[in-house]
Amino acid sequence: MDSVDHIIDPDFYARRGYPYETFRRLRLEDPVHRCAPPGVEPFWAITRHADVCEISRQPALFSSATRPVIFLEGTGLVPAGSAASQLRVLVNMDPPEHREHRHLASPWFKPRTIRRMEERVDQVCRELLDALANGGREAECDFVAAVAAPAPLRMIAEMLGVPEADEPVLLRLTNEMFGASDPEFQRSGSDAQQTFMAMAAEIFGYFAKLFEERRREPREDLLSVMAHQGRIRGEPVSVLDAVSFCFIIATAGHETTRNAIAGGLLALIEHPGEWKRLRENPALIETAVDEILRWTTPVIHFARTATEAYMLRGRTIAKGETVAMFYPSANRDEAVFEAADSFRIDRAPNPHLSFGIGEHFCLGTPLARLELRILFRQLVERLEHAELSAAPERLRASLVGGVKHLPVRYRLRTA
Ligand code: HEM
């Protein structure tokens, strides 16, 4: 098989989008494929839905602790001993430690608790769409800057207790986190690694200060709950643990949802027939949200390291070797999805793996779904027409991918 190194190459994602054709070949010809791109420690590319499930459900055999993503180590973004390497985030923990930490915030993310946020999400989306109307009934905007980025950012900020005035700082930091390898988001005079390190130090300082403030004066946010009720093995939550939690929520909860929103509008623009169906039958919003999640698959990969030799489809993954699970490929697996390359807003069942599966299944799933449901319901109601006014620009990244600028010309419905 020709080289498939581009499945992990940020430049490819920036220039050409997701390599669906390569993923298709890998699924059919070599679904457990050994990759050794120059400068990157070798890994096995896992491209079938069933294999992603098999690996994710066995955290004792496939550890998240040593190498949870490919590009960080490969490009040396996080040197050992740095502030970033000390963050203790859920995505690189194994049970039992992982469960103890996850439990800190899991009550907060229960569907019942999240439903209480419904009114606020509705209001935030309405305000952002009202702002679109300020440009007149017909206008142009970068949909990412105007709606897709601020909507989830505001919800995360409120959940954590970040004041509205600090949202621009949070926006910049999350851009730097996932876009460290994208020149647009690098700090001036800094390369990817320097940008990442500076971002990690700043995020650390910011949340450590906020945590201390909430310790003194609690409010009704997640940070206050962690400061006053949070326990890990019976001990109060340390600053490092609280900051690590804020770090993962601020980053995992923003960029992903933003790309699903931007990619979702792009999908509707590119499939006018499906958009029309949704407009005529808004009850399809539930299945449409899942299809948008499958279609956009904002998280490109997560990795695990084998704790002992494991046989998968006739290949031996040796102890200490890494497997990288490619979610966009699993979500187009022809063995699971009928007409996998078609965007169908009424697809059901839709067992996509956009949120992962098993031990590390995305904690923010109920919030992400709520945001997408409310935003797309409002968009369908209020947007009479939208089309691209220039080509979309894609993020230069191979961890969380998607559209970083979506220039659209739109026409709003009259009230
Ligand atoms: C469309 C939006 C989202 C997508 C596609 C997404 C996707 C994912 C994926 C693929 C994982 C890793 C699964 C694995 O390694 O097996 C994950 C983990 C996680 N996500 Fe999300 N996510 C989204 C939104 C959110 C939101 C809104 C939040 C929080 C407010 C969030 C918080 C987390 C956390 C904390 C983890 C780590 C869970 C763990 O390791 O136990 N995510 N997400």
Side-chain angles (χ1 to χ4, degrees):
M1 183 176 252
D2 326 331
S3 164
V4 297
D5 290 353
H6 55 281
I7 63 171
I8 202 71
D9 175 8
D11 277 324
F12 186 94
Y13 284 86
R15 280 199 317 268
R16 315 254 308 262
Y18 287 12
Y20 282 116
E21 180 47 32
T22 311
F23 286 144
R24 193 186 63 81
R25 269 198 303 132
L26 282 168
R27 279 193 309 274
L28 297 180
E29 293 170 26
D30 196 11
V32 181
H33 178 80
R34 192 167 163 80
C35 290
V40 178
E41 219 182 285
F43 62 92
W44 295 94
I46 307 298
T47 43
R48 284 209 191 154
H49 189 283
D51 299 344
V52 172
C53 296
E54 187 172 329
I55 291 168
S56 304
R57 285 179 170 139
Q58 301 186 81
L61 293 175
F62 291 101
S63 161
S64 296
T66 37
R67 200 184 176 198
V69 295
I70 298 297
F71 83 105
L72 293 181
E73 282 192 350
T75 53
L77 275 180
V78 185
S82 62
S85 74
Q86 284 164 33
L87 288 172
R88 291 149 50 80
V89 291
L90 286 182
V91 287
N92 59 8
M93 286 181 186
D94 289 330
E97 191 195 24
H98 172 255
R99 285 182 203 168
E100 289 157 8
H101 282 250
R102 188 170 159 122
H103 187 68
L104 259 187
S106 47
W108 196 276
F109 285 99
K110 290 243 158 69
R112 206 169 350 112
T113 319
I114 292 296
R115 267 200 298 277
R116 280 193 231 133
M117 294 175 73
E118 190 157 344
E119 217 173 287
R120 184 64 191 132
V121 176
D122 194 75
Q123 195 182 359
V124 164
C125 296
R126 208 161 286 285
E127 282 167 10
L128 292 169
L129 296 188
D130 285 348
L132 281 190
N134 291 342
R137 217 187 126 214
E138 287 192 50
E140 285 182 18
C141 71
D142 172 3
F143 185 73
V144 175
V147 179
L153 185 72
R154 193 149 302 163
M155 296 320 301
I156 296 299
E158 288 186 11
M159 175 179 256
L160 290 174
V162 172
E164 198 172 334
D166 291 348
E167 278 178 26
V169 179
L170 200 59
L171 176 64
R172 175 173 53 78
L173 291 170
T174 57
N175 279 339
E176 288 172 356
M177 157 86 196
F178 289 103
S181 30
D182 190 320
E184 180 177 342
F185 299 123
Q186 280 167 8
R187 295 190 176 197
S188 96
S190 301
D191 62 13
Q193 185 186 73
Q194 290 159 338
T195 299
F196 193 89
M197 299 307 298
M199 173 280 297
E202 193 178 336
I203 239 178
F204 195 99
Y206 180 85
F207 282 115
K209 184 163 161 280
L210 203 60
F211 185 63
E212 292 304 342
E213 279 173 25
R214 294 299 187 267
R215 249 190 193 150
R216 289 194 302 273
E217 274 180 54
R219 298 197 190 162
E220 292 204 342
D221 49 48
L222 183 55
L223 215 50
S224 303
V225 172
M226 268 194 242
H228 291 271
Q229 292 148 32
R231 291 280 179 280
I232 296 177
R233 292 193 192 158
E235 295 295 318
V237 176
S238 68
V239 177
L240 179 64
D241 286 330
V243 169
S244 302
F245 224 104
C246 294
F247 179 83
I248 183 77
I249 289 183
T251 51
H254 175 220
E255 184 79 19
T256 48
T257 317
R258 165 218 294 221
N259 287 323
I261 295 171
L265 181 64
L266 181 60
L268 290 172
I269 290 175
E270 286 174 342
H271 300 83
E274 293 303 281
W275 193 347
K276 183 164 174 281
R277 279 173 80 197
L278 187 56
R279 202 174 286 140
E280 287 167 2
N281 185 2
L284 287 173
I285 195 75
E286 298 288 337
T287 49
V289 161
D290 272 301
E291 183 65 346
I292 285 172
L293 283 161
R294 183 186 78 90
W295 194 251
T296 57
T297 317
V299 177
I300 298 168
H301 83 274
F302 263 113
R304 306 282 193 262
T305 299
T307 58
E308 52 190 74
Y310 192 88
M311 184 72 104
L312 188 62
R313 292 194 193 274
R315 301 275 192 183
T316 303
I317 296 157
K319 180 177 175 178
E321 287 186 336
T322 303
V323 288
M325 301 176 287
F326 287 90
Y327 302 108
S329 177
N331 282 346
R332 296 282 178 103
D333 190 335
E334 37 292 284
V336 175
F337 300 97
E338 195 197 310
D341 291 322
S342 304
F343 177 71
R344 295 182 173 171
I345 58 157
D346 58 351
R347 186 181 290 280
N350 190 344
H352 66 76
L353 298 179
S354 293
F355 293 119
I357 191 163
E359 181 73 20
H360 291 271
F361 180 69
C362 173
L363 190 59
T365 301
L367 177 59
R369 280 188 196 285
L370 182 73
E371 289 176 2
L372 291 170
R373 199 168 59 236
I374 291 179
L375 184 67
F376 278 98
R377 192 184 292 144
Q378 290 190 17
L379 270 180
V380 167
E381 269 171 27
R382 298 181 67 178
L383 216 52
E384 192 173 278
H385 177 74
E387 63 191 25
L388 294 177
S389 55
E393 277 179 61
R394 296 184 170 275
L395 195 63
R396 183 180 180 278
S398 57
L399 173 58
V400 174
V403 179
K404 70 173 176 176
H405 298 296
L406 186 65
V408 291
R409 188 175 304 119
Y410 57 87
R411 189 167 61 246
L412 296 165
R413 233 177 275 282
T414 40

